[in-house]
Amino acid sequence: MCTQNIQIQDQSFVLHPMGVLFWEQQSLLLISDVHLGKISHFRKYGAAVPQVALLKNYTALDAAVAFFNPKTICFMGDLFHSAMNSEWKLFQEWTAQVRGKIILVSGNHDIISPLKYEEMGIEVVDQLILNGFLLTHHPQDGGDLFNISGHIHPAVRLRGSGRQSVKLPCFFRSPQQLILPAFGEFTGNHVLKPNKRDTVYAITENEVILVAN
């Protein structure tokens, strides 16, 4: 895996091809828009989604945690896609084997009662302010605080010769904000057009690539 190391306000961050962000000084792993339960939700209403796809999110989560070994995992909203379904038990089993603290910055899809998360030792907050950074689900103007968020599922379209093009998920950085890509399977994404002040890090299967700055 080829990661990218960046500096924001004298803090060190690692961008990983899985779409996660690791804050080195805080030993904090940031993961946005996992949308657990979405596959089960689709299958319930007749969508032909293979059962094996359901486990891919958990396999990817295990890999990300093993790579960084963080003290804290912060889910940046839309952790669970909808109301509680059969996948909740899988999520409980996954959290039971995680070492360290888990925080959920709640998003618009997080409609399950915070009490259910707190029963598993997961702290649920609307936002998190930490060492000059504002962590939210929706992108916000943090004023003097640097905002890290999700929600948008950002992507960038890269064009080759002729009419060839490819759309890739990305980390999208503007002067006072960094938007994380969606982590989960079957989440979709939204193409953003950078201006001269923005920096885009596209994600391929095994690499994070600086494509615009």
Side-chain angles (χ1 to χ4, degrees):
M1 292 285 181
C2 184
T3 60
Q4 282 273 357
N5 296 287
I6 63 172
Q7 294 285 318
I8 305 174
Q9 297 185 170
D10 298 322
Q11 297 291 293
S12 301
F13 294 85
V14 181
L15 284 59
H16 192 281
M18 287 185 180
V20 302
L21 179 71
F22 184 64
W23 187 348
E24 292 186 341
Q25 286 84 355
Q26 299 292 331
S27 188
L28 175 63
L29 183 63
L30 304 173
I31 306 173
S32 190
D33 296 276
V34 184
H35 289 273
L36 297 174
K38 187 172 186 177
I39 293 172
S40 297
H41 179 77
F42 283 173
R43 286 172 59 87
K44 178 180 178 180
Y45 291 96
V49 182
Q51 181 70 18
V52 67
L54 188 148
L55 298 177
K56 285 187 177 180
N57 281 327
Y58 297 97
T59 301
L61 285 170
D62 283 340
V65 172
F67 188 90
F68 289 108
N69 191 27
K71 291 182 179 179
T72 305
I73 301 170
C74 182
F75 290 105
M76 301 289 289
D78 289 1
L79 172 55
F80 215 85
H81 178 72
S82 58
M84 194 178 297
N85 58 30
S86 58
E87 200 172 329
W88 183 258
K89 184 177 180 181
L90 284 175
F91 177 59
Q92 287 179 308
E93 292 172 352
W94 183 82
T95 58
Q97 54 84 38
V98 171
R99 297 179 180 178
K101 185 176 182 179
I102 301 178
I103 301 171
L104 169 60
V105 177
S106 60
N108 51 294
H109 278 278
D110 294 309
I111 61 175
I112 296 172
S113 170
L115 295 177
K116 293 294 183 181
Y117 290 104
E118 290 166 3
E119 287 173 1
M120 296 187 290
I122 298 173
E123 181 182 355
V124 182
V125 298
D126 292 328
Q127 64 180 30
L128 185 63
I129 297 175
L130 186 61
N131 197 26
F133 289 80
L134 172 65
L135 310 185
T136 60
H137 176 61
H138 292 84
Q140 293 186 18
D141 180 357
D144 293 334
L145 302 174
F146 188 95
N147 179 226
I148 301 177
S149 67
H151 181 63
I152 303 295
H153 302 195
V156 62
R157 188 173 298 281
L158 304 180
R159 302 190 183 277
S161 59
R163 297 184 178 180
Q164 295 178 339
S165 69
V166 62
K167 183 172 70 171
L168 296 173
C170 69
F171 295 89
F172 194 92
R173 180 177 176 179
S174 51
Q176 278 296 108
Q177 188 174 78
L178 177 65
I179 304 175
L180 305 188
F183 183 87
E185 291 281 308
F186 299 100
T187 54
N189 47 45
H190 176 65
V191 173
L192 299 178
K193 295 182 179 180
N195 61 39
K196 293 181 179 180
R197 302 182 69 197
D198 298 328
T199 307
V200 176
Y201 299 90
I203 298 172
T204 67
E205 185 175 352
N206 296 303
E207 191 172 6
V208 178
I209 304 170
L210 175 63
V211 296
N213 60 1

